[in-house]
Amino acid sequence: MGSLRGISIAIFVVQALLASVALVSAQGSATPSRWQTLSGEAPVVIARGGFSGIFSDSSFGAYSLALETGPSDVILWCDVQLTKDGAGICFPDLKLDNNSNIATIFSDKPVTYLVNGVSTKGLFSIDYTLKDLGSVYLSQGIYSRTNKFDGNNYQIMTVQDTYTQLKPLGFWLNIQHDAFYAAHNLSMRSFVLSVTRNAKVTVDYISSPEVAFLRNIAPIFRRSSTKVVFRFLGRKDVEPSTNQTYDSLLTNLTFIKTFAAGIIVPKCYIWPVDGALYLQPSTSIVLDAHKEGLEVFASDFYNDVPFSFNCSYDPVAEYLQFVDNGKFSVDGVLTDFPITPAAAIDCFAHIGKNASKQADLLVISNNGASGDYPGCTNMAYSKAIQDGVDVLDCPVQMTKDGIPICLGSINLIESTDIVRTGFSNLTTTVPEIMQSSGIFTYNLSWSDIKSLKPVISSPQSQYKLFRNPKFQNAGKYLQLSEFLRMANTTSSLNGVLISIENAAYLAKQGFGVTDAVLKALNEAGYDKQTTQKVMIQSSSSSVLMKFKGKTNYQLVYKIDEDIGGAQSSTIDDIKRFASAVVISKDSVFPENSAFLAGATDVVSRLQAANLSVLVQTFRNEFTSQAWDFFSDATVEINSFYVGAGINGVITDFPKTSDRYRRNRCLKRGNKIPTYMSPVPPGSLLQLVTTDYLPPAEAPKPYLTESDVVEPPLPPVAKTTSISTPSGTVAAAPAPNGQPKVAASIIVPLMAMLLAMYYRFEI
């Protein structure tokens, strides 16, 4: 089944998306002897319904994209359902409602059937003939994923058509509900036999969660290359033919071996997580199954569904947990995003932390490893160093007593628990800094700020994606001098980046932030040493001009808005005071409704002027990435580095970027696999039909000279405010929010008032 129009559209999908890339071997240079699988070979990648993380499950487009972006031997998974007339179709569920437009084609009311003893309501395949379904189109059934490709009208495909049209090297039939079909006088056994006896179709795997069905067909395939696999469902779910829970069946793998060559289990069977989504010790299920001669396939891999906070929203890290942990490896993974395990297995497994760098990509932290710990704390900085960062960053803020500290924002509300303390009454609005109100660092002493709890940043919290809650208040903040001492004693660092913002406003308030930075750097010996470089970053050209000529530090100009280009004269102006530029991701690959709309020439033009280009901010959460990057931070980094040619990344998760540049696939020349090839910007958006296209967005503005040129910094104003003496501990706030006055101040103050009183009385 499947119209010529649907087929031609899907072929165009494949050609447009990755036309310039050739397929290569899935295993590459990975050493087979290192694999702790049952066979000693690399784990297989099984694409559930194709690349169902992007296109509708079981559609020609999803299967085609899986073949193009996965390993060359990727296995296509087909969930087999039977129609009223006994035809087998690839469709993800018994019910047709959720993954198709059937409800708009037929006016039938949903019906209720018993499915494994549970009343289930919907529109079922058994009530429609294959001909009836010819006018039904597939749709994206997971509502958190884009539905923009539903207009391509992918038709429901038969099992035979799926194989003959796509010709995969591996084909997997999953039979989820044999007992249900048998109750309605439809024989799944007969269908499977008819398919496997078809000379035009090769079935490599047949799986089912029903023991009776597999025991029935197992003798037929005993001397065949087709493998029978028992599928485990939830631990407390009951297997219908034995009336045992799957948890109970797991304790009798010897029995499973009598009719199956392998098992497929939810990944949590292997690596359990606790109620807070933290990894628990791995179980022995893989080793136990291997002892019985059973292969183990892990299911439930989705790049857009977080598994454990231990993986830091990094799907490559998650796969490596299952295939490269030093104890065991699963024999295959079932995934909605086959590009990610393909790269994890071929490019990243067994490379080790100290593998040589294959890419000249500078990795700069954003407030340390702020994806794992509260930004700019000692723990965030230590984690960034541990994770292989090149340049450790410190955004400098000033305290009331004139101490430069490292903090991601001048507004303490953004990174501390200050609103829950007695200092919450210090809220003010300063339009020169920000439009909304805040509590600013220069209104509190260093001892006051040290008393606050750090709070981890969760920039994707609107999507309920929170970071490392167990350590959301961990660590302590550092003075700039403490930060520099930490960096100076870390041999693995290439340098530090000191970021300065709001310098002009602070100068008017009596705070000389540039002078404070220079003093701290000199006292730490950075003005004399050459081992680590110092980068000074600011969005203010006047700040960088203040440093120019006084030091040999690298000056970095931050463009704090999305731009579509830059005038030549503007680039010449930037060159007068900077040797590197920080730009946003949107300034490289502009987005429209979370799709890449194309590419600018900003990177190439800046580099042509001998300006290094650093891009911010890279985050692992899939909601921070365009659809084109397949919910995979590694795909995004690769596209910016290989595709756009950037010089460095500024990231909340240094580990992901450092691991990327060590992967073995980067040095394969013209044999780089598809899953390590850059995404062509704009290719996915071209595949959205007119009726689903988002409105066109206005082009990004060009950077002009007026955006860059600024007057010199004003002189630092003299202030009459009394600073807390160095080393003095500030008093804790009283319950009413007003600061307590220290007794050492009260006593002389009272003496002075009494003296004045007696003087006037006399």
Side-chain angles (χ1 to χ4, degrees), residues 272-520:
V273 295
D274 62 18
L277 296 184
Y278 285 92
L279 278 181
Q280 301 301 292
S282 61
T283 67
S284 62
I285 182 172
V286 176
L287 295 174
D288 293 343
H290 283 175
K291 286 178 183 178
E292 294 291 342
L294 290 166
E295 291 185 301
V296 181
F297 304 93
S299 65
D300 298 354
F301 285 95
Y302 319 102
N303 288 7
D304 53 0
V305 179
F307 173 51
S308 166
F309 288 112
N310 301 75
C311 298
S312 300
Y313 292 101
D314 182 348
V316 171
E318 181 183 343
Y319 284 106
L320 292 176
Q321 195 78 29
F322 288 83
V323 302
D324 181 21
N325 57 52
K327 296 179 181 179
F328 61 81
S329 171
V330 297
D331 300 277
V333 292
L334 177 62
T335 175
D336 289 14
F337 295 83
I339 189 172
T340 304
I345 292 166
D346 184 21
C347 306
F348 292 100
H350 307 136
I351 61 173
K353 182 179 178 181
N354 296 320
S356 59
K357 296 174 185 175
Q358 306 296 311
D360 185 19
L361 178 70
L362 191 68
V363 178
I364 304 172
S365 66
N366 181 51
N367 303 333
S370 55
D372 293 305
Y373 293 100
C376 297
T377 60
N378 59 327
M379 295 188 72
Y381 287 133
S382 296
K383 183 68 164 61
I385 293 169
Q386 174 189 331
D387 289 346
V389 74
D390 293 320
V391 178
L392 204 62
D393 75 303
C394 169
V396 173
Q397 315 299 340
M398 297 298 291
T399 67
K400 184 177 181 180
D401 40 352
I403 297 174
I405 64 173
C406 299
L407 202 63
S409 171
I410 194 172
N411 180 10
L412 290 162
I413 294 175
E414 295 181 10
S415 55
T416 74
D417 69 338
I418 194 167
V419 294
R420 294 189 292 272
T421 72
F423 298 114
S424 59
N425 65 331
L426 297 178
T427 302
T428 57
T429 301
V430 182
E432 295 93 333
I433 294 177
M434 56 191 297
Q435 294 304 308
S436 57
S437 59
I439 302 175
F440 302 103
T441 59
Y442 56 81
N443 285 327
L444 277 79
S445 68
W446 171 233
S447 58
D448 291 335
I449 293 174
K450 283 197 299 182
S451 71
L452 304 174
K453 284 185 181 179
V455 175
I456 198 168
S457 167
S458 291
Q460 303 300 308
S461 59
Q462 70 268 36
Y463 303 107
K464 307 301 180 185
L465 299 179
F466 300 97
R467 292 175 171 176
N468 205 4
K470 188 181 290 186
F471 296 94
Q472 62 181 326
N473 302 119
K476 63 177 184 178
Y477 290 120
L478 304 178
Q479 294 184 25
L480 174 59
S481 58
E482 294 172 314
F483 166 85
L484 293 174
R485 278 197 297 273
M486 170 187 274
N488 215 351
T489 56
T490 304
S491 59
S492 63
L493 286 178
N494 291 348
V496 294
L497 182 147
I498 310 299
S499 177
I500 301 173
E501 299 297 340
N502 305 305
Y505 177 81
L506 289 172
K508 295 175 183 177
Q509 310 308 309
F511 300 101
V513 60
T514 56
D515 293 335
V517 167
L518 279 169
K519 180 182 178 184

Side-chain angles (χ1 to χ4, degrees), residues 599-647:
T600 70
D601 64 353
V602 172
V603 173
S604 59
R605 295 198 65 219
L606 291 172
Q607 289 176 338
N610 292 320
L611 290 166
S612 296
V613 179
L614 312 173
V615 177
Q616 68 173 21
T617 304
F618 286 84
R619 298 186 168 110
N620 284 359
E621 294 95 339
F622 65 92
T623 50
S624 71
Q625 303 148 15
W627 295 114
D628 306 64
F629 300 129
F630 307 131
S631 302
D632 185 341
T634 298
V635 175
E636 181 182 45
I637 295 166
N638 185 59
S639 295
F640 274 87
Y641 175 68
V642 177
I646 67 172
N647 301 104

Side-chain angles (χ1 to χ4, degrees), residues 212-234:
F213 173 72
L214 292 183
R215 294 186 75 184
N216 190 311
I217 68 168
I220 302 170
F221 298 104
R222 194 150 285 151
R223 297 182 180 180
S224 165
S225 61
T226 302
K227 295 181 179 180
V228 174
V229 179
F230 180 59
R231 185 179 191 185
F232 284 80
L233 302 182

